Structures are given as structure tokens and as C-alpha cells.
Amino acid sequence: MTESVSASAKPPDRVRSLLVTAAKLGGSAFFLWLALRRLSLREVAGIAGHAHAGLLALGVLLVMLQVPLTGLRWARVSDAIGQPLAFRSAASIGLVGFFFNMVLPSGIGGDGVRILRVGRRGGNLRLAATSVLVDRVATLLGL
């Protein structure tokens, strides 16, 4: 009888996964609401109506190209300092970091997320922090 009590006290993995997903969706919806609550759709439509479609498409293309290029650069930096990071992982982690850099008031939050994501994948946090710092320096030198 003790086994059935302990088994029922712990929610199954599927229920837990659904709860985590629901919490993430709820949090995302809340932050979207915070960001958009004072947005005037008429103003947005007016600005969009005067925008040049070709320049908008070019802007979207450049942002889409930024993710794989950043991933490639960060993967090479990570390999060079002894923290191998596959291109796909670097690009996907970089995309998450890019999101947080856009949403948070500073660019440091996205860098912290990148470091933590590498750590969650089994990487050394010190080397991950070094790779992000060197990646930042390489970006600044490139500019």
C-alpha cells in the first residue's frame, strides 16, 4: 500500500510535461501582453502602410541570416577554446539568446542564457562563458 501512495503522490511525467508547457505558454502570453498592451494598431497600420516592401523583406532576410552566421562564428570560437559546440546547437542556442537580447533591457541576458544552455547540455560553464565573451569581442572587432 505504501508503494501505491508514493506512486500516486508523484505526477506522471506526461502530466508534468503538460504543466511545464502550459506554464511556458502562459508566461509567453503574459509577456506578450505586457509588451503589446499599449500598442496602437492604427499607428502600426499607418507606419506599415508607408513602409517600403522591399526594404522590409531585406530586413527580415538579414535577421534570418544573422542566426546561422552567428551560430557558425560561435561554434568556431567554442572549438578553438576547447569547448566543442556543433553548428546546429550553436545556432539554436544563439537564437534563444537573440530572443532574450531583444526582449530584455540589455544584451547581457541573452549571453547568460547562452551560457546556461551550454551548461544544460553538459558543457563546462567557465568555457561557455569564455566562448560567449570571445564571441562578443570578435563581433565588436568585426564592427
Side-chain angles (χ1 to χ4, degrees):
M1 184 161 185
T2 306
E3 292 176 18
S4 65
V5 170
S6 64
S8 65
K10 184 178 178 184
D13 287 339
R14 185 173 180 194
V15 172
R16 184 169 190 224
S17 176
L18 288 173
L19 289 174
V20 168
T21 301
K24 287 180 180 180
L25 288 173
S28 295
F30 173 71
F31 286 120
L32 278 172
W33 174 78
L34 276 177
L36 302 176
R37 69 178 182 222
R38 295 187 181 146
L39 183 69
S40 168
L41 293 179
R42 284 185 182 194
E43 264 187 77
V44 172
I47 292 169
H50 296 305
H52 188 274
L55 289 177
L56 285 175
L58 179 63
V60 170
L61 177 67
L62 289 174
V63 169
M64 290 173 57
L65 283 174
Q66 181 180 353
V67 173
L69 291 175
T70 302
L72 180 64
R73 185 186 64 230
W74 188 32
R76 288 191 178 205
V77 166
S78 293
D79 288 344
I81 66 166
Q83 172 89 346
L85 188 61
F87 165 73
R88 186 172 178 170
S89 294
S92 67
I93 293 170
L95 182 60
V96 173
F98 180 66
F99 169 78
F100 280 99
N101 281 341
M102 297 296 282
V103 174
L104 296 176
S106 76
I108 296 172
D111 292 343
V113 169
R114 289 196 310 170
I115 294 165
L116 290 175
R117 290 278 180 149
V118 170
R120 287 174 97 186
R121 292 180 182 221
N124 180 310
L125 287 176
R126 188 176 63 75
L127 288 176
T130 302
S131 73
V132 168
L133 180 63
V134 171
D135 180 55
R136 277 286 183 167
V137 170
T139 302
L140 289 173
L141 290 175
L143 291 174

